[in-house]
């Protein structure tokens, strides 16, 4: 008899699901596999109608202002400013007598910038001394160009005469120093008021509301 062999049906195994690639730490593979689209942020436009960074030109500063910024800006005491004015005018008077034979208009013209510098360089606490020190400096600088003779009395009379003749330059330089000192004083008072207002506003903002 023929022996019938029984065959057991073999079950087919289902294919294993594909595993997604595991990205290493840091997310580099995921970033490389799936590119991310980056949207450009809109450029904020300025009130003038131009976008920021496009066609914007910085404000031009006048050459005169640039020259003033490069100029030294010391802060002298009242005595220091007075000594500066006296020394400068005496030196200018000696140079005037040596080079220009004691020219009074040249001396008067040189007195104006010295007066301005004295008022600009004195510290804010001693602004009142600027209009006082420049006339004294003018009188000291007149001595070399006065040309007096006959001892101390003759020299003193020559200085008084020179001061009377050049009274216009003396008043002009004193006026320049007074105006500059006044403007600086007004600006100082305004800055102090602004500082006090900011301090009061900051103190009011810090107080807790009840």
């Amino acid at each position: 008899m023929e022996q019938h062999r029984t065959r057991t049906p073999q079950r087919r195994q289902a294919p294993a699901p594909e595993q997604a690639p595991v990205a290493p730490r840091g997310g580099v593979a995921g970033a490389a596999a799936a590119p991310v689209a980056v949207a450009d942020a809109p450029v904020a436009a300025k009130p003038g109608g131009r976008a920021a960074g496009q066609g914007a030109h910085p404000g031009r500063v006048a050459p005169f202002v640039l020259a003033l910024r490069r100029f030294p800006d010391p802060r002298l005491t009242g005595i220091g400013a007075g000594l500066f004015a006296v020394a400068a005018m005496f030196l200018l008077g000696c140079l005037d007598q040596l080079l220009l034979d004691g020219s009074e208009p040249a001396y008067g013209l040189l007195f104006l910038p010295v007066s301005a510098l004295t008022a600009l360089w004195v510290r804010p606490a001693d602004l009142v001394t600027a209009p006082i020190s420049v006339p004294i400096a003018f009188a000291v600088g007149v001595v070399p160009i006065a040309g007096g003779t006959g001892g101390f009395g003759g020299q003193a009379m020559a200085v008084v005469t020179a001061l009377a003749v050049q009274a216009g330059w003396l008043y002009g330089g004193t006026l320049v120093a007074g105006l500059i000192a006044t403007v600086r004083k007004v600006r100082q008072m305004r800055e102090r008021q602004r500082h006090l207002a900011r301090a009061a506003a900051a103190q009011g903002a810090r107080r807790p509301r009840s």
Side-chain angles (χ1 to χ4, degrees):
M1 296 178 62
E2 295 181 358
Q3 294 181 357
H4 298 280
R5 296 179 179 178
T6 58
R7 297 179 179 179
T8 56
Q10 297 180 357
R11 296 180 180 180
R12 297 181 179 181
Q13 297 181 356
E18 297 180 358
Q19 296 181 357
V22 180
R25 296 181 181 179
V28 178
V36 180
V38 180
D40 294 336
V43 181
K46 290 186 177 182
R50 296 180 179 179
Q54 296 180 359
H57 299 283
R60 295 181 179 179
V61 183
F64 178 72
V65 178
L66 292 176
L68 288 179
R69 290 179 180 177
R70 295 174 183 175
F71 206 75
D73 189 19
R75 283 292 174 260
L76 304 175
T77 62
I79 298 177
L83 292 177
F84 161 74
V86 169
M89 292 310 302
F90 185 78
L91 179 61
L92 291 176
C94 294
L95 292 177
D96 186 16
Q97 179 65 28
L98 181 63
L99 301 177
L100 302 176
D101 198 15
S103 175
E104 296 178 356
Y107 179 79
L109 285 173
L110 293 173
F111 175 64
L112 298 180
V114 172
S115 301
L117 292 177
T118 303
L120 286 173
W121 287 353
V122 68
R123 65 182 183 179
D126 298 330
L127 285 173
V128 69
T129 62
I132 300 174
S133 59
V134 290
I136 300 175
F138 186 88
V140 173
V142 164
V143 174
I145 65 173
T149 57
F152 178 79
Q155 188 71 31
M157 290 299 298
V159 169
V160 172
T161 303
L163 291 176
V165 172
Q166 301 188 28
W169 296 110
L170 175 60
Y171 294 151
T174 306
L175 180 62
V176 168
L179 288 176
I180 294 176
T182 302
V183 171
R184 289 187 58 192
K185 189 65 177 180
V186 171
R187 291 182 61 183
Q188 180 185 2
M189 294 174 62
R190 289 182 179 178
E191 290 293 334
R192 184 178 300 176
Q193 291 178 358
R194 292 176 183 175
H195 178 71
L196 293 177
R198 292 174 184 173
Q203 187 176 3
R206 293 176 182 175
R207 292 179 179 176
R209 297 181 180 179
S210 56

